[in-house]
Amino acid sequence: MDRLQTLQVFVAVADAGSFAAGGRAVGLSAPSVTRGINALEARLGVRLFTRTTRRVRLTEIGGRYLEDARRILQELQAADDAVSGAAARPTGLLRINCPNEFGRIHVMPILLEYLDTYPEMRAEIVMVDRVVNIIEEGFDIAVRIGSLPSSGLSAIRVGSVRRVVCAAPDYLARHGTPTVLEDLTAHRILATTTLSANKEWRFGSDYDQVVRIHPRATVSSIAACIEAVRNGWGITRVLSYQVGADLEAGRLEAVLEAYEPPPLPIHLLHSEGRGAVAKIRTFLDLAAERLRASTILNPS
């Protein structure tokens, strides 16, 4: 294993927290990866990882070495791109992960525009309402809604969303508009399994105001839930981007806004930093521009 491949293996293991998963990311077996890391540590005379039976973790000096290793690999990739022409024209397969509804409403139009702009590109977009490990599962870019844990990934903030309690104007006209949290107990609640799995709605700047809800129906499909509420069936709570067009058009009305918790940030994540290859860099540039221009995600 040459020194460049050793650096690639080291970064992959650090990102994955596992010799086996790191090996899969670079196409090597777990024993080969283990031998490569052991040889690297022997050559440097330091421990880069602490090992347990379940996971490997970077040591303090390993964390510092990781920063330098990433920079070296990114600069080398940028140099290769500049020579090969990949920096000028993206090619290949782009894999994107995002939440279901966000992908349907916001990411798909951007992706189709991107593919029209770069006909040599192909794309795979996986929409799932769970957090995936983009390194282990082989994604180039992921959309994340909410606070980000510490990681080695690069993040670009493109907007934010609120948790919105809403109903159709005709429902509110018939049943009254809730003005305090306690009023919700008198209303017909339609809940989604995504935001209401524990049958509690939390409000306030510290999420310290809790309303125990008793939904008449709980729906796994956010789109179906919104459609029922749009037709005047009851009240629901969803993320603001999911009903942004309905709120702007007056088909739905937000209530209890004074009790809303802080907005949730939206980020585009990728693992390649400033030296990202052309296919990633060009999509990030387009997506950031389009998402930041959205009045739903970035209200004035």
Side-chain angles (χ1 to χ4, degrees):
M1 190 179 295
D2 62 29
R3 294 186 67 177
L4 174 59
Q5 187 180 29
T6 300
L7 281 184
Q8 294 169 331
V9 168
F10 167 70
V11 171
V13 171
D15 287 337
S18 160
F19 287 142
R24 287 194 297 271
V26 294
L28 293 173
S29 67
S32 295
V33 168
T34 301
R35 287 194 297 271
I37 295 298
N38 288 343
L40 176 62
E41 290 179 328
R43 181 172 62 81
L44 296 175
V46 297
R47 277 283 185 183
L48 299 174
F49 295 101
T50 57
R51 285 89 158 159
T52 68
T53 56
R54 300 185 58 168
R55 191 169 179 83
V56 296
R57 297 182 184 276
L58 286 166
T59 61
E60 182 179 353
I61 197 167
R64 295 199 299 271
Y65 190 66
L66 177 63
E67 295 177 7
D68 291 333
R70 283 193 196 282
R71 177 181 50 78
I72 291 167
L73 293 174
Q74 289 164 3
E75 290 175 355
L76 180 60
Q77 183 65 63
D80 286 350
D81 285 349
V83 171
S84 68
R89 193 70 181 175
T91 60
L93 174 67
L94 183 70
R95 299 191 72 237
I96 302 169
N97 164 249
C98 59
N100 266 303
E101 286 298 292
F102 194 91
R104 180 181 68 83
I105 297 169
H106 290 290
V107 180
M108 273 302 297
I110 296 169
L111 179 60
L112 297 180
E113 179 184 354
Y114 178 80
L115 293 176
D116 286 340
T117 303
Y118 300 106
E120 296 176 358
M121 282 297 304
R122 296 174 296 114
E124 178 185 352
I125 180 169
V126 177
M127 303 182 195
V128 290
D129 292 325
R130 65 177 177 85
V131 176
V132 305
N133 185 313
I134 71 173
I135 303 297
E136 288 189 0
E137 300 192 35
F139 289 103
D140 298 301
I141 296 169
V143 178
R144 291 285 184 271
I145 299 175
S147 299
L148 298 176
S150 298
S151 72
L153 301 175
S154 297
I156 302 171
R157 181 161 177 161
V158 293
S160 63
V161 296
R162 299 152 44 214
R163 295 179 179 86
V164 177
V165 179
C166 59
D170 67 309
Y171 172 88
L172 297 175
R174 286 183 283 114
H175 298 278
T177 299
T179 58
V180 295
L181 297 180
E182 290 75 14
D183 291 344
L184 287 172
T185 59
H187 284 270
R188 191 159 55 181
I189 302 294
L190 187 63
T192 66
T193 53
T194 303
L195 289 185
S196 310
N198 61 0
K199 300 301 183 291
E200 287 183 350
W201 287 353
R202 291 184 173 271
F203 297 86
S205 58
D206 295 321
Y207 301 90
D208 55 349
Q209 300 180 62
V210 182
V211 176
R212 184 74 178 174
I213 61 169
H214 301 281
R216 292 287 304 278
T218 301
V219 188
S220 62
S221 167
I222 294 171
C225 178
I226 292 170
E227 180 66 19
V229 172
R230 191 185 294 127
N231 291 332
W233 196 88
I235 286 181
T236 193
R237 193 187 201 194
V238 290
L239 296 177
S240 56
Y241 79 84
Q242 296 164 346
V243 291
D246 291 306
L247 294 173
E248 288 184 343
R251 293 185 292 267
L252 293 175
E253 182 178 327
V255 299
L256 301 171
E257 292 177 282
Y259 296 92
E260 288 179 7
L264 301 170
I266 306 169
H267 291 92
L268 302 174
L269 296 186
H270 66 108
S271 63
E272 301 201 19
R274 291 191 299 273
V277 295
K279 67 177 183 178
I280 297 176
R281 187 178 62 253
T282 50
F283 184 83
L284 289 171
D285 289 344
L286 176 64
E289 180 182 356
R290 295 291 182 266
L291 295 173
R292 287 169 176 165
S294 168
T295 58
I296 293 172
L297 305 180
N298 294 279
S300 56

